[in-house]
Amino acid sequence: MPTIGVALALPEPWAEQLQSYRRSLGDATADLIPTHITLIPPTEVPEPELHAVREHLDLAAGKHTAFRMHLRGTGTFRPISPVVFVTVAQGIGESEQLADDLRKGPLEVELDFPYHPHVTVAHHLGDDLLDRAFTELAEFDCAFEVDRFHLYVHDDVAGWRRTDDFPLQPAAG
């Protein structure tokens, strides 16, 4: 049964910058996970239902407009989870509304934790490396327009691969 995820991809040069940073920490999964902001966490979907999932994602995309995303500084989920992330300074509400709409119909999934948009930069590493990431990326700052989200399918060898793009409505003005 395929495992899918839905996310906002970071544009270049920031996607590669953060992925390279994650790689530099020795994170073995860095090359298997594109730099992203999760909207729908990994979810198993029976192959015959993938068409309905794509239709659902397309309909949801049509209900949302493009928005500005500003990433700045770092945060952590420790001690609950060994994760350091880049924080979302602008675009939180839009991400939350989009994620909420996506978690309906064929993608109605229970979340283990409340939805919190972020970009993971260190995960399941030692405390020293998590502390290092938290400090070294504290000044990280970028902004970009989010005009689409993406469907990813997990491959056991290649990791997460983007298969579909879902354009949002153009922003007014």
Side-chain angles (χ1 to χ4, degrees), residues 24-38:
S24 78
L25 293 176
D27 185 336
T29 65
D31 291 321
L32 303 175
I33 305 171
T35 308
H36 69 282
I37 297 167
T38 299

Side-chain angles (χ1 to χ4, degrees), residues 9 82 85 137 152 168 171:
F85 55 86
L137 292 175
Y152 292 81
L168 302 174

Side-chain angles (χ1 to χ4, degrees), residues 34-97:
T35 308
H36 69 282
I37 297 167
T38 299
L39 296 169
I40 297 287
T43 304
E44 287 187 341
V45 175
E47 187 81 39
E49 292 180 25
L50 284 176
H51 181 71
V53 165
R54 285 183 174 94
E55 285 182 345
H56 169 69
L57 295 174
D58 193 47
L59 287 171
K63 297 176 187 176
H64 293 267
T65 58
F67 60 94
R68 189 89 175 140
M69 177 69 68
H70 183 187
L71 306 177
R72 181 178 57 221
T74 53
T76 183
F77 292 131
R78 292 188 289 174
I80 305 299
S81 180
V83 173
V84 171
F85 55 86
V86 170
T87 61
V88 175
Q90 180 184 1
I92 295 170
E94 294 91 340
S95 298
E96 289 173 337
Q97 290 170 3

